[in-house]
Amino acid sequence: MADDVTAMDLGTSNTCVTRCSADAAVTVLRPEGWHHSTLGGAIPTLVLYRDGDPFLVGAAAEHEFGEATAAERRSYTLRGQFKPDIAARDDARRWMEDFLRLLRSRVAVTDNLLVGIPCQAENHYQQVLRRCLADTGWGNARFLREPMGALLHYIATGALPPSLAARGVLTVDFGGGTCDLAVLRRADVVSRHGDMLYGGRLFDDLFFRMLLERNAGLEDRLTREGNDYYVHWIACRQAKEDFSNAMAVRRDQPVTVRVRWSSWDGAAAREQAAYIDNLTWEEFLCRAGDYRPTPSLLETLREHRDRAGLSPHAEGLLHGKRVDLVSWFEHILLEALARARRDEGLVGADVPMVLLTGGSSAWPFVGELVRQIMGERAQLLVGDEPYADIAKGLAQYHVLAERLREGRAALQRELPAFMEEHIRRRAIRETLDAGVDRLLGQCADLLRNAVLLPEFRRYRDEGGPLRALMARIGEAMRREEPRLRDLLDAETGRLARRVTEACRTELKAWFRSKGIPILPERLEQTWLGVGMSAFLARMGEELSRSTLAPTRAAAETATAVMAPSLAALAASGTVVITPLIAIAMGVAGVVIMRLFHMDRWVVEKALDLPLPGPLRRRIFSEERSAALCDEQLEAFGASFRAQLPEEWSRAEGQILAEAARVAGEEIAALDLLNITPG
């Protein structure tokens, strides 16, 4: 992309202009020297007239009008909320042109201009807006649907993987004048629905009506001062947002809403205020459920009467009937999903990601209704600066599309080598080796400290036949088997998570090395299949059997010492025998036993004999017992590792296939930005 791009999100309540350079740096353009509101760089879509001539827009217009003297007020006219009506009313179109002309005179923009438009904007509306832009010095603007701006912003920030954007995303753009919903697949709007009359200005009007009802005589006073328009559409909008923000934090406490404005007292502009005392969430819902527009708003809205496609709620509103503002949004959402099912066969599971943008999306009931209708599994993304999200995303369209194309080519080229070096060797085998060491170490600690050493110590102190020792070890092993099973299950589960996370980490680093800020998080832990589970169960049984091996080894050692002496005793027929004779006969006995392969038979017989105390304490000393445990557990570990590669190869193949699938889907999704602005 050779040229920088200027983008504009032209809203009913606020407008944001951004600029994106070739290095993808996005700047919010702020008119130099003008007053700015705290809207993430957006400015209010307002025009202030003096004697019929426009001279200020945005927050500067708010400030000037609010600080004006009574004499100045008589020559001032403040206009806003005109965007939805430019195709229906000549005065709204003139206000839009004046706003754009003054804004253009104070911001430096490029010839490459992208402007967001609602999905519900018909061709006539687009033609009118295009002409307004051209006639006010913005050049030949190209349009992109506003939902695209939100989508681009979340992709650019890394919050939305392109693969999810390719699968299906619902955008809810609830602004000051319209509510625009769209389902996008591969960044293309495949289904759309909304309402050009439903927007935040209805709630501004609701708060103005509540303010007048709570403060008798206020309406006449505001009219005399010339503050009626300002309080209605600016001060009440701020009060509405204050209440919405408070309810988003805590809804079980009432809030006193303060509406502020300035009035000239003959010497200076002094702040004035009126209050909506102790407004609760329940009362707000009740009032929103029985809303009737003020006469001034109704007069404006009636310009849209008899238009095709008006919703039942909009029709009722235009005829002066009371409507439920919350159920109106619910109706829009339900109809949007119904259209998506009709148009594309989509269901809620096909659009698991919901992007909320627009200032009015901050109302708590918006997210709650989305989750209620789409299910708790629906993921909601809400930007930190909902007034600027769309403009930032639109500005990055070209540079982001180019970055994704270049990254896709590099990733495809490197995929085979990446899978071998980073997934098979680093993520799988190195993680496996470390995990097996931890698994065997924990099993050995459990068996050594809970089964073998305690029973060896008990036998050393109490004595008895060696076969009884083996029986007690068997009982202890059966007692500890649930703990061993839990240990095996827990450690193998942790191993599965570690391998999966290692694969994710390698994938993330690989994508980021290409300048693509995405998070491929959908790698599933499905690789620990039946084969590996059966292997672990079998190795658990072998581990259980191996606990008896140290006892048999001890029996063989004891028999090698005892059996010659026992043979000498048997041959002499007496229990009185000198040690030297016993040793000599013992040596002869060992030779005879080895010569005629009698050692196994003698061992089995010796298991039923008790060991003398001195010999028992010697054989089952702490050092000897520990050595016997280590020897047998090490032998089990070697057996485990020897049998693991064959079993592991099946699981490794599953992991590689899963990682390749995720990588392939992420790479394929990088060509989704192929929509040409119109």
Side-chain angles (χ1 to χ4, degrees), residues 432-495:
L432 170 67
D433 290 342
V436 168
D437 288 341
R438 281 191 296 270
L439 173 63
L440 292 175
Q442 292 184 25
C443 289
D445 288 343
L446 173 62
L447 294 173
R448 179 187 295 108
N449 298 319
V451 176
L452 298 177
L453 290 180
E455 293 301 330
F456 286 167
R457 294 186 185 112
R458 179 182 174 187
Y459 180 76
R460 183 182 61 202
D461 296 338
E462 298 179 2
L466 285 171
R467 196 178 298 280
L469 170 61
M470 294 181 67
R472 286 199 295 267
I473 289 177
E475 292 173 2
M477 187 61 209
R478 285 188 292 273
R479 185 177 63 248
E480 297 297 332
E481 186 173 2
R483 288 179 60 191
L484 178 62
R485 288 292 175 191
D486 290 344
L487 189 155
L488 286 169
D489 291 343
E491 189 59 32
T492 52
R494 282 190 288 269
L495 180 59

Side-chain angles (χ1 to χ4, degrees), residues 263-477:
S263 180
W264 187 264
D265 66 356
R270 298 189 182 278
E271 183 176 283
Q272 304 292 322
Y275 299 88
I276 305 174
D277 293 320
N278 297 319
L279 181 60
T280 65
W281 180 250
E282 291 73 18
E283 182 182 356
F284 162 75
L285 291 178
C286 182
R287 296 300 302 267
D290 191 37
Y291 166 70
R292 180 168 54 88
T294 59
S296 59
L297 177 61
L298 185 59
E299 181 181 354
T300 299
L301 295 178
R302 278 177 174 162
E303 298 293 337
H304 298 268
R305 181 182 287 178
D306 302 324
R307 285 179 52 187
L310 288 176
S311 66
H313 290 82
E315 289 281 6
L317 191 73
L318 295 178
H319 289 85
K321 296 180 179 179
R322 297 178 184 271
V323 297
D324 185 336
L325 294 179
V326 176
S327 70
W328 192 346
F329 174 78
E330 183 178 10
H331 173 80
I332 295 171
L333 177 59
L334 288 170
E335 182 60 26
L337 294 175
R339 289 194 179 192
R341 285 191 290 270
R342 291 196 302 268
D343 297 344
E344 294 290 321
L346 296 174
V347 295
D350 296 322
V351 282
M353 190 68 69
V354 182
L355 311 183
L356 299 182
T357 188
S360 297
S361 64
W363 279 114
F365 69 80
V366 173
E368 291 172 358
L369 282 173
V370 169
R371 286 194 174 91
Q372 176 183 328
I373 292 172
M374 300 191 66
E376 290 297 325
R377 296 182 62 184
Q379 302 180 55
L380 272 61
L381 289 180
V382 183
D384 294 332
E385 297 177 340
Y387 298 103
D389 289 348
I390 290 177
K392 288 181 177 180
L394 293 174
Q396 296 179 87
Y397 175 79
H398 291 293
V399 67
L400 184 59
E402 181 63 23
R403 180 192 298 173
L404 295 185
R405 280 193 294 269
E406 293 177 355
R408 184 171 185 263
L411 292 166
Q412 285 179 323
R413 185 172 59 252
E414 298 175 12
L415 180 59
F418 170 80
M419 293 299 299
E420 181 63 31
E421 174 67 17
H422 291 265
I423 299 299
R424 185 192 298 274
R425 189 177 70 80
R426 291 187 187 177
I428 298 178
R429 294 191 175 173
E430 291 181 6
T431 305
L432 170 67
D433 290 342
V436 168
D437 288 341
R438 281 191 296 270
L439 173 63
L440 292 175
Q442 292 184 25
C443 289
D445 288 343
L446 173 62
L447 294 173
R448 179 187 295 108
N449 298 319
V451 176
L452 298 177
L453 290 180
E455 293 301 330
F456 286 167
R457 294 186 185 112
R458 179 182 174 187
Y459 180 76
R460 183 182 61 202
D461 296 338
E462 298 179 2
L466 285 171
R467 196 178 298 280
L469 170 61
M470 294 181 67
R472 286 199 295 267
I473 289 177
E475 292 173 2
M477 187 61 209

Side-chain angles (χ1 to χ4, degrees), residues 200-210 232-233 236 291-297:
R201 61 178 175 174
L202 303 180
F203 293 87
D204 302 342
D205 191 58
L206 171 66
F207 272 72
F208 183 63
R209 183 177 283 280
M210 286 194 293
H232 193 166
W233 298 115
C236 280
Y291 166 70
R292 180 168 54 88
T294 59
S296 59
L297 177 61

Side-chain angles (χ1 to χ4, degrees), residues 76-380:
Y76 283 173
T77 304
L78 189 64
R79 289 290 178 258
Q81 306 285 330
F82 42 76
K83 176 195 171 184
D85 309 317
I86 62 172
R89 295 173 52 186
D90 292 338
D91 55 355
R93 184 161 54 251
R94 177 170 60 85
W95 298 334
M96 173 64 81
E97 290 175 349
D98 292 338
F99 172 80
L100 290 172
R101 186 176 294 108
L102 284 173
L103 181 60
R104 176 66 183 86
S105 69
R106 301 302 293 269
V107 294
V109 301
T110 66
D111 294 333
N112 195 357
L113 175 66
L114 287 177
V115 178
I117 55 171
C119 282
Q120 301 308 307
E122 70 280 1
N123 289 334
H124 178 57
Y125 180 92
Q126 295 183 45
Q127 292 170 4
V128 171
L129 180 58
R130 194 186 300 275
R131 188 164 60 250
C132 288
L133 290 163
D135 292 346
T136 55
W138 291 85
N140 186 21
R142 293 176 300 155
F143 292 152
L144 272 177
R145 298 292 184 182
E146 289 172 353
M148 272 289 292
L151 186 81
L152 292 166
H153 173 70
Y154 285 113
I155 291 176
T157 59
L160 178 65
S163 55
L164 280 183
R167 176 181 169 186
V169 172
L170 171 67
T171 63
V172 178
D173 183 5
F174 188 3
T178 62
C179 186
D180 198 21
L181 280 70
V183 175
L184 296 92
R185 265 184 168 176
R186 302 195 65 79
D188 187 19
V189 177
V190 297
S191 183
R192 57 189 175 86
H193 181 63
D195 201 311
M196 290 292 287
L197 294 188
Y198 184 72
R201 61 178 175 174
L202 303 180
F203 293 87
D204 302 342
D205 191 58
L206 171 66
F207 272 72
F208 183 63
R209 183 177 283 280
M210 286 194 293
L211 182 71
L212 297 181
E213 292 175 1
R214 297 283 185 96
N215 296 269
L218 179 61
E219 185 172 15
D220 292 338
R221 173 185 162 194
L222 293 174
T223 302
R224 289 194 306 270
E225 295 174 353
N227 280 314
D228 49 340
Y229 187 93
Y230 182 90
V231 171
H232 193 166
W233 298 115
I234 298 173
C236 280
R237 183 190 68 203
Q238 184 60 54
K240 171 201 69 176
E241 292 174 355
D242 292 342
F243 177 76
S244 174
N245 293 335
M247 293 298 102
V249 175
R250 185 168 183 176
R251 259 176 285 175
D252 60 349
Q253 290 187 348
V255 173
T256 295
V257 180
R258 183 169 69 166
V259 181
R260 294 172 290 185
W261 69 96
S262 296
S263 180
W264 187 264
D265 66 356
R270 298 189 182 278
E271 183 176 283
Q272 304 292 322
Y275 299 88
I276 305 174
D277 293 320
N278 297 319
L279 181 60
T280 65
W281 180 250
E282 291 73 18
E283 182 182 356
F284 162 75
L285 291 178
C286 182
R287 296 300 302 267
D290 191 37
Y291 166 70
R292 180 168 54 88
T294 59
S296 59
L297 177 61
L298 185 59
E299 181 181 354
T300 299
L301 295 178
R302 278 177 174 162
E303 298 293 337
H304 298 268
R305 181 182 287 178
D306 302 324
R307 285 179 52 187
L310 288 176
S311 66
H313 290 82
E315 289 281 6
L317 191 73
L318 295 178
H319 289 85
K321 296 180 179 179
R322 297 178 184 271
V323 297
D324 185 336
L325 294 179
V326 176
S327 70
W328 192 346
F329 174 78
E330 183 178 10
H331 173 80
I332 295 171
L333 177 59
L334 288 170
E335 182 60 26
L337 294 175
R339 289 194 179 192
R341 285 191 290 270
R342 291 196 302 268
D343 297 344
E344 294 290 321
L346 296 174
V347 295
D350 296 322
V351 282
M353 190 68 69
V354 182
L355 311 183
L356 299 182
T357 188
S360 297
S361 64
W363 279 114
F365 69 80
V366 173
E368 291 172 358
L369 282 173
V370 169
R371 286 194 174 91
Q372 176 183 328
I373 292 172
M374 300 191 66
E376 290 297 325
R377 296 182 62 184
Q379 302 180 55
L380 272 61

